[in-house]
Amino acid sequence: MPIDPGVALAAPPTVEEIGWDTSDVLLYHLALGAGAEPVDPAELRYATESGSVVVPTFAVVAPMLRATRPPRVAYPGVEVDLRKILHGSQRVELHNPIPRDGKAAVRTRVADLYDKGSAAVIVVDTEATGIDGVPLWTSSMRMFARGEGGFGGDRGPAGPPDPPQRAPDHTIITPTLPQQALWYRLLGDRNPLHADPAVAEAAGFPRPILHGLCTYGIACRAIVDAVLDGRAERVRAIEARFAGVVYPGETLRTSVWREDGRLLFVSTVDERDNAPALAGGELTVEEGQSA
């Protein structure tokens, strides 16, 4: 049985030590499109050693930076073919700003399993703590495993609400690069769906698609720059649901609403009549400061 809830939910977290340096952070920023204006100081603080900023969504790639093989969905009590998996949503909660050079102990576990009948939802949490004992981030990933439901579990919570029924407070236009997925895969996600045209065609796509987590990072950086005056350290959490595909070279339109001290957002694709890319997005800022 690919999913055994009793084993998966009772298993202790796996623990490993990871490390990263400034070059890893700069590569991540370049893979998100930083440096498009190579003489703009605001861009160079992401793309060179002249800055200290780290886009908060770096947390999702830090544990897999050295991976060179396609990822596996394998945890105690869970073993699912990657071809059955859809990345449903991602949340990162920042406990402290991420340094450009660092080491951390990361603890990963299956936090929840939901039974949708035709599919299972696998919730995997990763907690990172610096070697000095300072908590850095908690990352929560939801994956849909097609054909793996029916084990009698809870269906889980409802999805995020729709955005407010009014014009957005901010609209941010961000072009992506034709080679963007080829950059991003160097951060450890070597799923051939993002690089091999034959694999993409077999999966029903006309060409390789952009990593959902790349779109997630692009949206985060866009909001930080356009709404938070470039102050990435203000971000305390960001989450979004992956609602559709983006092809490298397309243009993202991120709509942002200020609502009860939060920033709600969606990202769509301009070239395909605002086809959805990210939905149910929410970015929260540090306590005591409004968004």
Side-chain angles (χ1 to χ4, degrees):
M1 182 177 180
I3 296 180
D4 186 328
V7 171
L9 297 176
T14 59
V15 182
E16 62 177 328
E17 186 174 291
I18 64 170
W20 63 94
D21 59 27
T22 298
S23 293
D24 297 318
V25 173
L26 297 183
L27 174 60
Y28 179 67
H29 292 166
L30 290 171
L32 298 184
E37 296 292 340
V39 295
D40 182 349
E43 289 290 307
L44 292 178
R45 70 195 188 96
Y46 287 109
T48 71
E49 294 82 358
S50 64
S52 59
V53 64
V54 178
V55 175
T57 49
F58 178 74
V60 301
V61 301
M64 61 183 187
L65 284 169
R66 311 295 175 236
T68 57
R69 295 182 179 181
R72 293 179 62 224
V73 182
Y75 307 94
V78 174
E79 183 82 34
V80 179
D81 190 322
L82 183 62
R83 292 171 293 183
K84 293 184 175 183
I85 292 293
L86 293 173
H87 194 161
S89 65
Q90 184 71 48
R91 174 180 172 83
V92 171
E93 182 179 356
L94 282 300
H95 309 301
N96 283 286
I98 302 172
R100 279 200 168 186
D101 292 89
K103 291 183 178 180
V106 293
R107 294 168 173 79
T108 302
R109 66 186 181 94
V110 176
D112 270 309
L113 289 168
Y114 300 125
D115 188 347
K116 298 294 188 180
S118 61
V121 176
I122 307 164
V123 183
V124 177
D125 284 0
T126 299
E127 297 180 353
T129 304
I131 57 172
D132 55 2
V134 173
L136 293 174
W137 69 79
T138 301
S139 175
S140 186
M141 170 177 60
R142 291 189 177 211
M143 297 177 285
F144 281 85
R146 293 171 292 183
E148 301 297 339
F151 53 83
D154 185 87
R155 287 189 59 83
D162 293 329
Q165 295 300 305
R166 58 181 175 82
D169 298 300
H170 304 270
T171 300
I172 312 163
I173 305 300
T174 312
T176 67
L177 303 171
Q179 69 273 32
Q180 195 117 37
L182 300 179
W183 275 101
Y184 195 86
R185 69 189 294 271
L186 299 180
L187 294 158
D189 189 341
R190 303 296 178 96
N191 187 336
L193 180 63
H194 306 295
D196 189 325
V199 171
E201 184 178 1
F205 301 109
R207 55 195 173 99
I209 63 175
L210 190 62
H211 304 70
L213 286 177
C214 184
T215 304
Y216 176 72
I218 290 170
C220 179
R221 187 173 86 95
I223 295 170
V224 164
D225 285 348
V227 185
L228 301 181
D229 299 320
R231 294 181 58 196
E233 72 277 6
R234 291 185 61 195
V235 177
R236 284 296 168 264
I238 179 170
E239 61 183 303
R241 178 169 57 85
F242 302 109
V245 301
V246 177
Y247 295 101
E250 292 186 321
T251 304
L252 288 174
R253 176 181 297 267
T254 300
S255 302
V256 184
W257 292 263
R258 297 176 183 268
E259 191 83 359
D260 299 327
R262 301 167 297 158
L263 297 172
L264 307 182
F265 68 93
V266 300
S267 293
T268 58
V269 180
D270 265 8
E271 289 84 351
R272 285 185 282 117
D273 297 322
N274 284 318
L278 299 176
E282 180 177 329
L283 186 150
T284 57
V285 299
E286 58 191 334
E287 271 187 55
Q289 296 203 27
S290 64

